[in-house]
Amino acid sequence: MPLGAARFGLQSGETGYDVQYLIVSGGGGGEIGGGGGGGAVDNVSSPTTLPQGETITVTVGGAGNRQSVGGTSTVASTTFGTINVVGGGGGSASNDNADAGACGGGGARNNSGKAGNIGGNGGNASGVNAGAAGGGMTANGANASNGGATGAAGTANATYSNWTTDTSSGVGGRFCGGGAGTSKTVNNTISGGAGGGGNASANGSGAGTVNSGGGGGSAWFNAGSAGGSGIVILRYPEAKGEAASTTGSPSTHTGSGFRYYKFTSSGSVTL
């Protein structure tokens, strides 16, 4: 066996799979402050070579319930190790703090938002009638003084354009938008952040979009909404053909020279 093949655990005549991943965690739930968007992590700039026969295990983070942190999404294999992406932070209620997370939850009624671990911070609320917005992957949540605040934007539109187009994923080509904050004086709808963030108003709120990692929207007179669940997408060059097997029923797509495995629930793929 050639030294290079032995080093990477390959049999003679076999070649590895240059695997890329996009891991999106669940968005945090809103309350009066908007929920923070989930996190988005990838290895697009440096694909990882995995040997034939290796199994990649995927866990898709669930939506954060109202005022709660979103679920962690994970990719794990012998070569990758374990890659965890924590969920978005929950939004603040009347007399408590928001939660930290991948993107921070928004504050409410003179409470500050929390910091995002990999994305934007939640906004701060400086008035008793204020609900600030949740953070998104590319922006901090907007502050609020006596009203609500629009959710922060998620991933940049161009970052995952091939991924979202080829697999019909994301919202407008984006993931992980922050949930909008509200106020008891706001009767109109306040928009969530681009990338699946939930809307807000005094009397009702919108959940983060399913499988977008968007933060949940907020309400004053009713409960806030859950965030959006996460998603995990794996891809490698299309010329390698189909994987040996999968579990969890991922959908399979081809485009842009790649074969994609899109997980909206937990499962695995064996190369």
Side-chain angles (χ1 to χ4, degrees):
M1 180 183 298
L3 178 60
R7 181 179 178 185
F8 291 100
L10 307 177
Q11 300 299 314
S12 179
E14 295 177 1
T15 58
Y17 291 71
D18 292 330
V19 179
Q20 299 176 17
Y21 55 74
L22 169 57
I23 309 171
V24 175
S25 59
E31 188 64 354
I32 295 174
V41 171
D42 67 77
N43 69 336
V44 175
S45 64
S46 183
T48 304
T49 302
L50 274 65
Q52 184 175 356
E54 184 161 324
T55 297
I56 306 167
T57 302
V58 169
T59 302
V60 175
N65 294 324
R66 55 176 286 210
Q67 202 181 338
S68 298
V69 176
T72 297
S73 290
T74 302
V75 164
S77 79
T78 301
T79 303
F80 280 138
T82 300
I83 305 158
N84 293 315
V85 182
V86 299
S92 174
S94 294
N95 297 301
D96 67 355
N97 295 318
D99 297 315
C103 301
R109 304 196 72 180
N110 289 318
N111 286 312
S112 298
K114 286 298 178 69
N117 297 327
I118 60 175
N121 302 329
N124 301 321
S126 58
V128 295
N129 294 324
M137 268 302 295
T138 59
N140 295 330
N143 298 328
S145 55
N146 269 307
T150 301
T155 55
N157 195 289
T159 303
Y160 301 117
S161 58
N162 288 341
W163 298 73
T164 58
T165 299
D166 292 342
T167 66
S168 300
S169 303
V171 180
R174 301 178 184 227
F175 299 97
C176 306
T182 194
S183 166
K184 69 178 181 180
T185 62
V186 174
N187 295 316
N188 59 304
T189 298
I190 303 173
S191 297
N199 297 334
S201 70
N203 292 300
S205 59
T209 302
V210 173
N211 299 130
S212 74
S218 60
W220 190 277
F221 297 110
N222 293 291
S225 289
S229 51
I231 189 171
V232 174
I233 306 174
L234 306 174
R235 75 180 187 182
Y236 56 76
E238 185 179 354
K240 296 296 296 181
E242 295 183 5
S245 64
T246 62
T247 66
S249 301
S251 58
T252 305
H253 309 263
T254 56
S256 306
F258 292 95
R259 181 174 297 276
Y260 296 83
Y261 291 88
K262 171 182 168 179
F263 290 85
T264 56
S265 60
S266 300
S268 68
V269 58
T270 299
L271 302 173

